[in-house]
């Protein structure tokens, strides 16, 4: 049992002012793996005060020095990769090999991209060559509250901390209480990198407690939140009282549109993408829309691919699917699988209950439904588990209508060998991102959505800009 009861505030590990203990459950075993403290309003206030006091000095620190500290952070991050991987595997159930490669790798990827983008960006520049005495100055928003989820911990922490640090913001990180151990390792990295006192602070807590206090705090200038749409709405309402900037990266219900001329690996690729991280990704391609001419073949392939996915403990090495994060998520997913059956979808792989040979742990069978219609619950709600819905369409126009018929708008996917069709689809799909034919977004590409998937963009220069204000100066005199 790991005990992590302290918070990192103003450059020191300090005992909570007022807190309650919280057990962290290992989803592979259902056994407690750690005890942490959940902070109070007083703990959040102490962290905000430290960040506010550090803000003037950090904003005044030259950009080159801020970048250099992030470079040092990246160096230490790489050295501590195994510690980060183990902490994510034990607390949120990422299979250890996947934690080492994808979960840890996501963090280093984003830090590298921030460093590269920042070195090219003009934080202080003329408005235009015609107006040399008008300048545009980018400066930090101020004190930023960073509220991160459990499903891709290092991905989200580095996307927020790296951008905020380079922008000149001071910050308070509140990680998910479901997966807090990696965040505490990350705080050790920030300390070892030598960031000035108060620039980075960490307070553990839940959304109702510390999350609510931070999002409504009068001395917090910005909230950057990743999580559920429900929580994002609550944060927006709370933050509105102080008119602070709010960045939201929320849920998704991505459509993966597979045309009849898609490449032969498109269906398999879509199934495996859906099951990655046990389906716990906001940008998961959870609705596979297949053109009628290849529909039966696609259903057959999807069932075969899903049936070959193995399920095992997150502690076991190898290529397999681990558990979902907790009992609440497991029960929600089971209920939606049953809902799919009850509403008439055709179950072609997986189904309710634990996988074979398991009697404990929050494991879910890799599940695929065919003959799903747009009105079904599984076609509309974000399941956040390894459940794929396959739907049939006839024409491009019908595919567009089905894909856009959702309250979410994070990522959509297109599979076709017709370049003109692919480009048409990219322009009309209502989502912040469109990925085509299995090509992932390139380094520095923005991540974010529209509609109920949130606002703002993360990664690269877009992420840095999100933590900055734009100041217009007229009558500038060259020194």
């Amino acid at each position: 049992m790991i005990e992590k009861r302290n918070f990192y505030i103003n450059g020191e590990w300090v005992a909570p002012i007022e807190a309650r203990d919280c057990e962290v459950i290992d989803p592979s075993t259902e056994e407690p793996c750690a005890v942490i403290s959940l902070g109070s309003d007083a703990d959040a206030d102490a962290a905000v005060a430290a960040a506010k006091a550090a803000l003037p000095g950090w904003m005044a620190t030259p950009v080159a020095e801020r970048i250099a500290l992030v470079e040092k952070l990246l160096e230490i991050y790489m050295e501590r990769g195994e510690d980060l991987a183990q902490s994510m595997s034990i607390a949120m159930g990422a299979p250890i090999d996947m934690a080492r490669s994808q979960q840890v790798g996501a963090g280093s990827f984003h830090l590298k991209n921030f460093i590269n983008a920042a070195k090219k960006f003009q934080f202080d520049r003329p408005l235009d060559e015609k107006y040399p005495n008008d300048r545009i100055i980018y400066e930090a928003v101020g004190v930023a509250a960073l509220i991160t989820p459990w499903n891709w911990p290092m991905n989200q922490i580095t996307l927020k901390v790296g951008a905020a640090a380079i922008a000149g913001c001071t910050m308070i990180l509140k990680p998910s209480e479901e997966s807090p151990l990696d965040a505490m390792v990350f705080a050790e990295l920030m300390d070892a990198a030598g960031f000035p006192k108060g620039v980075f602070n960490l307070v553990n807590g839940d959304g109702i407690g510390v999350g609510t206090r931070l999002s409504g705090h009068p001395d917090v200038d910005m909230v950057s939140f990743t999580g559920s749409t429900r929580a994002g709405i609550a944060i927006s309402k709370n933050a509105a009282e102080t008119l602070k900037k709010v960045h939201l990266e929320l849920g998704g219900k991505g459509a993966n549109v597979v045309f009849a001329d898609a490449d032969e690996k498109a269906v398999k690729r879509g199934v495996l993408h859906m099951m990655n991280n046990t389906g716990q990704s906001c940008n998961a391609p959870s609705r596979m829309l297949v053109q009628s001419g290849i529909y039966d073949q696609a259903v057959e392939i999807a069932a075969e691919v899903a049936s070959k996915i193995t399920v095992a403990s997150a502690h076991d090495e190898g290529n397999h699917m681990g558990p979902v994060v907790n009992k609440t998520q497991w029960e929600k997913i089971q209920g939606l699988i049953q809902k799919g059956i009850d509403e008439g979808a055709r179950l072609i792989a997986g189904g309710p209950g634990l996988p074979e040979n398991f009697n404990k742990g929050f494991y879910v069978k890799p599940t695929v439904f065919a003959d799903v219609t747009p009105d079904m619950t599984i076609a509309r709600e974000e399941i956040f588990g390894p459940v794929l819905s396959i739907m049939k369409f006839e024409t491009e126009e019908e595919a567009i209508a089905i894909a856009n018929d959702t309250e979410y708008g994070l990522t959509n996917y297109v599979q076709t060998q017709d370049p003109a069709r692919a480009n048409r689809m990219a322009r009309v799909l209502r989502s912040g991102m469109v990925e085509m034919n299995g090509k992932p977004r390139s380094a520095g590409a923005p991540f974010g959505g529209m509609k109920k998937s949130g606002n703002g963009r993360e990664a690269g220069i877009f992420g840095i800009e999100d933590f900055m204000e734009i100041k217009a100066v007229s009558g500038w005199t060259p020194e």
Side-chain angles (χ1 to χ4, degrees):
M1 179 80 71
I2 302 168
E3 293 199 10
K4 297 279 189 178
R5 299 173 184 270
N6 289 355
F7 301 156
Y8 186 77
I9 298 176
N10 202 33
E12 297 180 336
W13 290 98
V14 298
I17 297 170
E18 180 183 343
R20 65 186 191 277
D21 285 348
C22 173
E23 284 188 337
V24 180
I25 303 299
D26 180 343
S28 293
T29 64
E30 299 188 42
E31 298 296 328
C33 63
V35 176
I36 64 164
S37 293
L38 298 182
S40 63
D41 285 0
D43 296 297
D45 290 347
V48 172
K52 183 180 179 181
L55 180 63
W58 185 238
M59 286 181 65
T61 300
V63 173
E65 292 182 25
R66 299 202 297 260
I67 294 172
L69 280 169
V70 176
E71 288 178 317
K72 182 64 176 177
L73 170 65
L74 174 59
E75 178 186 329
I76 299 169
Y77 182 99
M78 300 301 290
E79 293 171 356
R80 297 286 303 275
E82 182 63 17
D83 293 335
L84 291 166
Q86 292 290 343
S87 62
M88 287 184 281
S89 183
I90 190 174
M92 59 78 56
I96 186 60
D97 284 0
M98 182 263 190
R100 289 169 178 147
S101 58
Q102 295 185 48
Q103 294 277 5
V104 173
S108 57
F109 177 77
H110 293 312
L111 291 176
K112 289 175 186 175
N113 291 336
F114 283 136
I115 292 164
N116 292 335
K119 288 180 176 179
K120 301 173 186 175
F121 186 69
Q122 290 182 287
F123 290 83
D124 184 331
R125 60 176 175 79
L127 171 64
D128 189 274
E129 60 183 19
K130 295 180 180 179
Y131 308 109
N133 295 328
D134 282 46
R135 294 195 75 79
I136 300 298
I137 297 174
Y138 290 81
E139 68 176 38
V141 170
V143 175
L146 315 178
I147 303 176
T148 57
W150 47 262
N151 60 322
W152 285 93
M154 278 301 108
N155 182 74
Q156 294 307 136
I157 288 174
T158 55
L159 276 173
K160 298 181 191 304
V161 173
I166 287 173
C169 292
T170 56
M171 64 206 89
I172 306 97
L173 172 64
K174 189 210 83 66
S176 169
E177 65 274 24
E178 299 289 345
S179 178
L181 305 183
D182 55 272
M184 302 189 79
V185 174
F186 188 84
E188 295 174 359
L189 310 187
M190 293 292 288
D191 184 74
F195 282 83
K197 290 184 177 182
V199 169
F200 172 87
N201 306 274
L202 178 142
V203 177
N204 282 311
D206 54 22
I208 294 174
V210 172
T212 297
R213 180 58 178 165
L214 289 175
S215 61
H217 201 293
D219 291 333
V220 169
D221 301 295
M222 173 181 177
V223 178
S224 180
F225 169 78
T226 300
S228 70
T229 297
R230 175 195 55 76
I233 292 169
I235 284 171
S236 297
K237 290 179 178 179
N238 194 35
E241 292 291 331
T242 48
L243 291 176
K244 55 173 56 67
K245 184 176 183 178
V246 178
H247 169 111
L248 301 172
E249 201 276 278
L250 308 175
K253 192 68 180 175
N256 184 10
V257 185
V258 183
F259 286 96
D261 67 343
D263 68 89
E264 62 180 11
K265 296 181 180 178
V267 173
K268 179 179 180 179
R269 185 169 61 238
V271 175
L272 294 178
H273 189 173
M274 180 62 236
M275 303 304 170
N276 188 46
N277 204 38
T278 321
Q280 300 171 123
S281 301
C282 52
N283 62 341
S286 55
R287 295 180 295 152
M288 182 179 286
L289 281 53
V290 182
Q291 199 160 24
S292 58
I294 61 167
Y295 181 80
D296 291 341
Q297 179 187 7
V299 168
E300 190 175 309
I301 292 171
E304 182 181 4
V305 172
S307 68
K308 291 180 178 178
I309 296 173
T310 58
V311 179
S313 167
H315 307 299
D316 293 346
E317 297 193 354
N319 183 19
H320 57 266
M321 199 175 79
V324 296
V325 70
N326 59 29
K327 184 178 181 180
T328 299
Q329 284 294 118
W330 189 87
E331 290 178 343
K332 173 193 172 186
I333 295 164
Q334 295 301 314
L336 286 166
I337 291 173
Q338 188 59 51
K339 192 81 168 176
I341 295 170
D342 295 343
E343 292 183 357
R346 177 159 58 103
L347 183 67
I348 62 171
L354 288 168
E356 189 176 355
N357 300 323
F358 285 93
N359 58 18
K360 66 176 180 178
F362 305 124
Y363 299 96
V364 179
K365 299 173 186 176
T367 297
V368 181
F369 285 100
D371 303 344
V372 176
T373 56
D375 59 312
M376 290 181 180
T377 303
I378 58 173
R380 308 203 68 81
E381 290 191 17
E382 185 181 35
I383 299 173
F384 226 63
V387 182
L388 174 65
S389 298
I390 304 181
M391 312 165 76
K392 183 190 293 186
F393 72 91
E394 298 290 340
T395 66
E396 183 178 322
E397 292 71 24
E398 184 185 6
I400 293 166
I402 296 172
N404 286 339
D405 183 22
T406 173
E407 61 186 8
Y408 296 106
L410 189 58
T411 313
N412 285 308
Y413 303 82
V414 178
Q415 320 296 329
T416 178
Q417 297 305 297
D418 182 341
R421 174 191 283 153
N423 292 342
R424 287 195 304 271
M425 294 292 291
R427 290 187 175 97
V428 298
L429 290 173
R430 293 285 293 161
S431 55
M433 298 168 285
V434 180
E435 297 183 16
M436 295 188 282
N437 298 316
K439 186 184 185 305
R441 286 167 293 105
S442 298
F447 187 101
M450 56 182 70
K451 300 193 283 186
K452 286 192 176 180
S453 288
N455 54 59
R457 294 295 182 269
E458 294 185 308
I461 199 60
F462 304 94
I464 296 171
E465 287 179 335
D466 232 29
F467 283 90
M468 306 193 84
E469 299 281 13
I470 300 174
K471 179 184 290 183
V473 179
S474 58
W476 181 272
T477 303
E479 298 178 8

